[in-house]
Each structure stands twice: as C-alpha cells, then as structure tokens.
Amino acid sequence: MKTSRFQIIPLPTEIADAARLAAKAGAADHALITVDSPESSPCRHCLRWAQPGERVVLFPYAAIPSGHPYSETGPIFVHANECQRYRATNEYPADFRNGRVFRAYDSNYNIIDAQVMNDSEPEIVIESLFQNPDTEFVDARSITRGCFTFRVQRA
Ligand SMILES: [Zn+2]
C-alpha cells in the first residue's frame, strides 16, 4: 500500500556510519553483536530485520533531542556493515507491519497522541494521527521494548 500523504524517515546515514566507527573504536556505549534470532534486531538504517549471523551495532540514540520534557534517548541497532538506507520512503516498511506503536508529536516535541496498531493497517493508524493538524511527526516504536524504529512525516 502506498503512503500517499506521509513519508518514512529512516535513520540518517551519517548517524549509522558514526555508530559503526565508534563501535570499531571500542566506545563503551557501542556494542557489536552477532544476531542470533530472527526479528530481534531491526536495523534503523535499511529498515529491515538483521538476519541471524549478521552483526549489528547497538547504541543509544536521541530520537527526541535533549532540552524538552519528552526528551528521550534509547537503544537502537544498525547493521555493523554498510547497508543501503531505506529508499521506498513513500511505502510503509514491510518488515515492521506488526508490533509497532505510533506516537504523534507536535512541533515542540510533545507527545500529543499515541496508538497501537492492533489489527489495523499501519497506514490507517498513521493517517488518523496526521488528521490532527498539530501532529508534526509520528514515531514508530516497538510495542514490547519501546525502542524507536523510524519517524514518519507529512509528505
Ligand atoms: Zn541495515
């Protein structure tokens, strides 16, 4: 399904590359991990599940920058080796059609709404959050672990 009215924003390549360099340099808060089970480690750069045997970098990412009441830094994965940034930004990423919660933020980074996808198509949940004119962006997160997965903006 095409997402006519919104755009998927994967993690910027500069951030993924910086995390890979920091992990190679042995930064204490950047862990190199070999994935051992499927659908455990979503890469925020290519927006795919890392496959068992692939290596990922686990590091803290400030999805909501500091200086706001809802500031939030949390753990995310990227592939340890170079991967292609998700390009189909007008389509909801196929690997994450389940297990996401969507948080709507206003332009001051305040959470103004949140919805679990339940049995709905994710596109429908996202469209409904953008029906509020105050919604500046929507963040997709893991329902179970709460980790940031990707951002969605108006097209
Ligand atoms: Zn990747």
Side-chain angles (χ1 to χ4, degrees):
M1 192 189 292
K2 296 282 179 188
T3 62
S4 51
R5 291 188 212 143
F6 57 83
Q7 190 180 18
I8 305 296
I9 313 291
L11 190 76
T13 301
E14 311 84 77
I15 292 174
D17 284 345
R20 291 162 181 152
L21 282 175
K24 276 190 193 137
D29 60 353
H30 285 59
L32 267 173
I33 293 171
T34 301
V35 174
D36 61 7
S37 60
E39 303 199 358
S40 64
S41 310
C43 176
R44 273 61 164 196
H45 185 244
C46 61
L47 295 184
R48 302 195 59 102
W49 293 110
Q51 299 303 303
E54 286 186 317
R55 295 211 307 162
V56 291
V57 179
L58 175 63
F59 67 104
Y61 174 64
I64 304 300
S66 62
H68 304 277
Y70 283 93
S71 298
E72 194 163 355
T73 296
I76 64 169
F77 296 103
V78 293
H79 279 112
N81 293 323
E82 206 172 291
C83 61
Q84 185 174 76
R85 192 177 187 224
Y86 184 73
R87 289 203 294 194
T89 55
N90 64 341
E91 291 175 42
Y92 188 90
D95 278 13
F96 305 117
R97 298 198 68 85
N98 295 302
R100 299 303 113 183
V101 59
F102 298 98
R103 291 186 192 164
Y105 290 82
D106 68 14
S107 57
N108 293 316
Y109 296 99
N110 295 307
I111 297 177
I112 54 173
D113 202 351
Q115 287 186 38
V116 175
M117 58 184 16
N118 290 327
D119 294 330
S120 300
E121 297 290 328
E123 290 89 345
I124 291 169
V125 178
I126 292 166
E127 295 275 355
S128 78
L129 290 169
F130 277 127
Q131 276 171 13
N132 181 341
D134 290 337
T135 298
E136 181 75 10
F137 62 91
V138 172
D139 277 358
R141 286 178 169 257
S142 161
I143 285 177
T144 49
R145 303 211 178 183
C147 306
F148 172 83
T149 313
F150 57 87
R151 180 153 295 171
V152 188
Q153 290 179 345
R154 292 179 196 276

